Amino acid sequence: MKSLVLYESKYGNTHKVADAIAEGIGGKICCVSDFNPTMLADVELLVVGSPIHGWQPSEDTGQFLTHLDREVLKGKYVATFDTGFKSILSGNAASKILTKLKRAGGRQLMATEKFVVEKAEGPLAPGELDRAKAWASSLQSEYNRIAHPAPHFV
Ligand SMILES: Cc1cc2nc3c(=O)[nH]c(=O)nc-3n(C[C@H](O)[C@H](O)[C@H](O)COP(=O)(O)O)c2cc1C
């Protein structure tokens, strides 16, 4: 599976999660502000992660989403995650990102995921990098199941 993980990170926590996911799926990784559409050429799965800022994706992530061309993700799978506080008032950036990626033609591979930080600057809560690795592993298996189903012998 050819994959790209895009992230934004003010204090480095989302970057750490993005690194763990990219390593887990054997994908490339790029900061969202350095993104250019040629990076999508062979990509089969695009993962986008952002810190939650005021219940929304971060500003650079929002810019990236605003400039995504219509249908640029057609035929590609997408998955999203966010980082933020463990609180019911935390908000959700990942689902907002997902909606925009789907509007650009992306097909949702899995449910969104959230990774918890203890304070705004971090650190990540204990075990969150292991959860990120586990999520990456689920992305890989779900992709294999959906996109390349095992041949069915009779
Ligand atoms: C301006 C600002 C607004 C924030 N708003 C929220 C929020 O609405 N909900 C939340 O859970 N966390 C919020 N946070 C905490 C961030 O989500 C946290 O800083 C982030 O997960 C850390 O990731 P990073 O190190 O990649 O920047 C906010 C942080 C900042 C700096």
Side-chain angles (χ1 to χ4, degrees):
M1 169 177 70
K2 288 180 184 140
S3 54
L4 174 66
V5 179
L6 291 176
Y7 70 93
E8 210 234 315
S9 191
K10 189 173 162 75
Y11 301 111
N13 300 282
T14 315
H15 190 174
K16 283 184 189 157
V17 173
D19 264 340
I21 293 167
E23 198 184 318
I25 56 178
K28 295 188 174 158
I29 179 165
C30 177
C31 177
V32 85
S33 50
D34 294 332
F35 170 79
N36 88 62
T38 61
M39 293 175 181
L40 290 173
D42 294 338
V43 165
E44 294 160 308
L45 169 66
L46 174 69
V47 179
V48 181
S50 168
I52 308 171
H53 283 171
W55 298 0
Q56 302 293 325
S58 65
E59 198 178 330
D60 282 3
T61 310
Q63 285 292 320
F64 155 75
L65 294 167
T66 305
H67 292 105
L68 261 191
D69 285 344
R70 236 176 100 87
E71 308 222 327
V72 71
L73 298 177
K74 205 169 173 189
K76 301 180 192 299
Y77 285 93
V78 295
T80 64
F81 69 92
D82 56 27
T83 63
F85 302 131
K86 185 178 183 174
S87 156
I88 50 164
L89 301 176
S90 163
N92 185 328
S95 59
K96 296 184 174 93
I97 299 169
L98 184 63
T99 300
K100 299 248 167 97
L101 298 184
K102 282 159 93 173
R103 243 177 244 162
R107 212 192 286 181
Q108 179 175 0
L109 184 60
M110 282 208 354
T112 62
E113 189 54 274
K114 178 187 188 173
F115 299 96
V116 173
V117 290
E118 293 184 340
K119 294 183 188 157
E121 319 81 56
L124 287 159
E128 290 305 79
L129 283 181
D130 287 336
R131 280 212 314 119
K133 288 178 199 159
W135 193 61
S137 172
S138 307
L139 287 172
Q140 183 72 67
S141 14
E142 192 58 10
Y143 181 83
N144 292 345
R145 192 183 69 80
I146 292 179
H148 297 292
H152 182 69
F153 296 108
V154 279

